[in-house]
Amino acid sequence: MVTYSEALKIIRTECNKIILHTEEVDLLDSINQILAEDVFADVDLPPFDNSAMDGYAVKFSKRNEWNIIGEISAGNYSPLNLSENDAVLITTGSKIPVNADTVLPIEDVEVQGNLLKLKADTFYKEGMNIRPKGNDLRKDQIAVHCFTKIDSKVIAALASCGKDKVKVFCKLRAAILATGDELIPINEIPADDKLRVSNTYSLYTVVKEMNHTPIMLGFIKDDKEIIRKKIKAAFEMDIDMLITTGGVSVGKYDFLKEIFEEEGVKEKFWKVNIKPGKPIYFGICEKNEKRILVFGLPGNPVSSLVNFYIFIKPAIDYLFHRNYLNNITAILQDNLKKKDSKLHFSRGILYEDNGEWKVTSKFTQSSGDLVEMSRANCLIVIEEERENPTKGEKVKCIRI
Ligand code: AMP
Ligand code: MG
């Protein structure tokens, strides 16, 4: 058995050996993907000196009256040449005419025919309200760094650099397989000791939420040969990750670990000193020049999802240089029970109250209670050595 931090270290070591593939996609198809190149400005941004306001462009002097000689609106430049007593009506974003260096806001002036007058008690400064060419970024400087997630903020920068196609990292393909004799499809009513398969749905969703590609392999019985066949077939598929649930503990019908071993998966760890999800298995399958990450998660729907949040998500985040775990320190609002020396990830509800983060947890913390889990928005981390944290104490929370 390893500690959680040892397990994360092992995962990162293996992630360092993974080669991420890249592809070129249309800019609008790159949304939420991770940029696989540094993107440089191919022109100055903005490409020309322009007005930051609606107003009048003038050549700076000490005067407060000008002659209006014309107008320039955005996209409709006209090559007006200003002398000191000339002003040009200009709109936001318009190119500044030759000789002008200052824009007077429309609110600060009065117009009488062709005469422009500065309002009383209004002042102006040289260079005011001009956005200089290249002020945002100079040509050939890096506009967007490799490993940036392409979101609404970033995509505008890419568009401004003329990137109609971008190089992104290919999405990971994660196959999901559940095992268990008790499992039935969700459109059936559970009879006797049967149970609707639920965790393949949560794992499929969480992979998708991370903008990767889940591949649903469904569920199979706790039959060693059936599982072996399915696992073998999965490793022949074009996948980067296999996530199984169930059958990874020490029960009589827990075959996963054995099968992984027999199918050549190199075990990196099995069992981590945590709750929930202690029996988690992690290994690597080298197949067709690929290194497939293999995660054997316990079957409990809460355990399997919590294990995804605390092992697989950090692994994917690490692979793509994303911020590692989204932690918040909060003040505990209830007493929690914890006597063992495991690291606990308890379900809680995190909220802000008067500028302070607080977290409540009235949950049973049973790893079978998945409806309860569906109401949580964080995992409360209770460190190995910590016992029975009480109301008022500070705890680390991972947002989920
Ligand atoms: P296991 O890890 O196979 O020992 O399963 C632990 C518990 O989780 C058992 O109570 C199972 O019935 C339940 N379980 C296993 N697989 C699933 C699944 N795919 N969906 C819902 N519950 C499951
Ligand atoms: Mg089982």
Side-chain angles (χ1 to χ4, degrees):
M1 184 146 70
V2 294
T3 65
Y4 178 59
S5 62
E6 283 164 348
L8 283 185
K9 219 162 142 189
I10 294 169
I11 289 175
R12 282 189 224 128
T13 304
E14 293 311 316
C15 287
N16 287 339
K17 300 176 197 161
I18 304 276
I19 297 160
L20 296 176
H21 296 281
T22 62
E23 60 183 333
E24 200 172 64
V25 295
D26 287 342
L27 186 58
L28 283 179
D29 292 330
S30 74
I31 298 165
N32 285 331
Q33 281 187 261
I34 310 296
L35 192 63
E37 59 177 336
D38 286 330
V39 170
F40 297 83
D42 66 336
V43 292
D44 284 331
L45 297 172
F48 48 87
D49 292 349
N50 67 84
S51 175
M53 297 205 92
D54 289 321
Y56 287 85
V58 297
K59 184 172 164 47
F60 180 79
S61 65
K62 291 273 181 253
R63 66 181 54 238
N64 54 15
E65 276 187 25
W66 298 265
N67 234 346
I68 302 169
I69 61 162
E71 65 169 58
I72 298 175
S73 59
N76 297 305
Y77 183 67
S78 108
L80 296 164
N81 205 340
L82 275 76
S83 64
E84 250 187 30
N85 57 348
D86 293 337
V88 170
L89 173 72
I90 197 158
T91 65
T92 308
S94 304
K95 184 171 171 175
I96 303 292
V98 187
N99 281 342
D101 56 11
T102 302
V103 171
L104 309 171
I106 210 148
E107 296 83 357
D108 292 354
V109 292
E110 281 164 358
V111 179
Q112 292 162 3
N114 274 344
L115 189 67
L116 182 74
K117 277 187 176 175
L118 197 65
K119 284 185 184 165
D121 298 329
T122 314
F123 304 96
Y124 66 103
K125 278 200 314 209
E126 185 169 6
M128 172 172 151
N129 300 320
I130 305 247
R131 290 191 287 230
K133 170 181 173 163
N135 185 58
D136 195 8
L137 203 68
R138 289 254 166 233
K139 182 174 184 284
D140 298 330
Q141 285 183 325
I142 294 186
V144 188
H145 290 269
C146 187
F147 287 107
T148 302
K149 184 173 179 176
I150 301 170
D151 60 14
S152 47
K153 301 177 266 79
V154 169
I155 208 157
L158 295 171
S160 299
C161 293
K163 293 292 287 184
D164 57 341
K165 288 196 184 301
V166 281
K167 197 166 146 192
V168 294
F169 290 107
C170 298
K171 293 182 184 186
L172 295 181
R173 294 168 56 81
I176 297 159
L177 173 68
T179 65
D181 281 353
E182 70 276 42
L183 305 179
I184 56 163
I186 62 167
N187 58 358
E188 288 181 16
I189 305 283
D192 298 330
D193 59 348
K194 299 292 181 266
L195 188 72
R196 286 181 176 133
V197 61
S198 60
N199 57 13
T200 46
Y201 287 85
S202 48
L203 293 169
Y204 186 95
T205 305
V206 75
V207 170
K208 222 163 166 116
E209 280 171 354
M210 291 192 76
N211 201 35
H212 291 285
T213 307
I215 298 156
M216 181 64 99
L217 300 184
F219 64 92
I220 49 174
K221 294 222 173 289
D222 288 317
D223 177 304
K224 199 166 172 189
E225 286 322 303
I226 294 175
I227 302 174
R228 184 198 307 284
K229 247 174 102 180
K230 197 82 179 175
I231 299 272
K232 257 186 147 123
F235 288 149
E236 289 305 327
M237 294 168 70
D238 174 23
I239 57 171
D240 304 287
M241 188 182 287
L242 172 65
I243 306 172
T244 65
T245 69
V248 77
S249 193
V250 291
K252 186 175 172 197
Y253 299 99
D254 289 343
F255 298 124
L256 265 296
K257 184 174 150 9
E258 235 170 282
I259 295 169
F260 287 146
E261 220 164 273
E262 289 163 11
E263 292 309 315
V265 179
K266 292 200 187 85
E267 180 186 317
K268 297 297 169 184
F269 63 73
W270 178 50
K271 290 189 180 167
V272 182
N273 190 30
I274 55 163
K275 193 178 173 182
K278 177 180 142 204
I280 182 175
Y281 171 99
F282 171 60
I284 298 288
C285 172
E286 287 180 59
K287 201 89 188 179
N288 309 328
E289 302 189 5
K290 261 193 147 174
R291 297 174 71 84
I292 302 171
L293 301 167
V294 180
F295 290 94
L297 310 185
N300 266 312
V302 172
S303 306
S304 51
L305 187 56
V306 168
N307 276 191
F308 188 99
Y309 289 133
I310 64 173
F311 292 103
I312 305 180
K313 185 173 185 300
I316 297 175
D317 285 344
Y318 183 78
L319 273 172
F320 290 92
H321 298 207
R322 312 303 307 144
N323 275 345
Y324 168 66
L325 289 185
N326 190 3
N327 295 336
I328 283 181
T329 301
I331 301 163
L332 200 54
Q333 302 300 302
D334 309 284
N335 298 330
L336 289 185
K337 280 207 184 87
K338 190 246 192 199
K339 285 203 201 82
D340 60 30
S341 58
K342 290 180 191 153
L343 172 62
H344 284 216
F345 296 91
S346 304
R347 274 69 69 209
I349 298 176
L350 187 67
Y351 61 98
E352 215 195 316
D353 180 26
N354 259 325
E356 250 181 352
W357 284 106
K358 295 183 174 170
V359 62
T360 66
S361 184
K362 296 197 164 47
F363 296 159
T364 63
Q365 306 298 347
S366 158
S367 50
D369 295 348
L370 60 107
V371 174
E372 202 180 74
M373 165 98 185
S374 72
R375 296 176 182 148
N377 67 3
C378 77
L379 299 174
I380 304 169
V381 181
I382 312 170
E383 295 79 3
E384 285 88 342
E385 65 286 356
R386 201 163 177 183
E387 277 189 13
N388 299 332
T390 53
K391 184 174 173 168
E393 286 185 29
K394 283 188 176 166
V395 285
K396 194 167 90 180
C397 301
I398 301 168
R399 297 183 118 173
I400 55 172

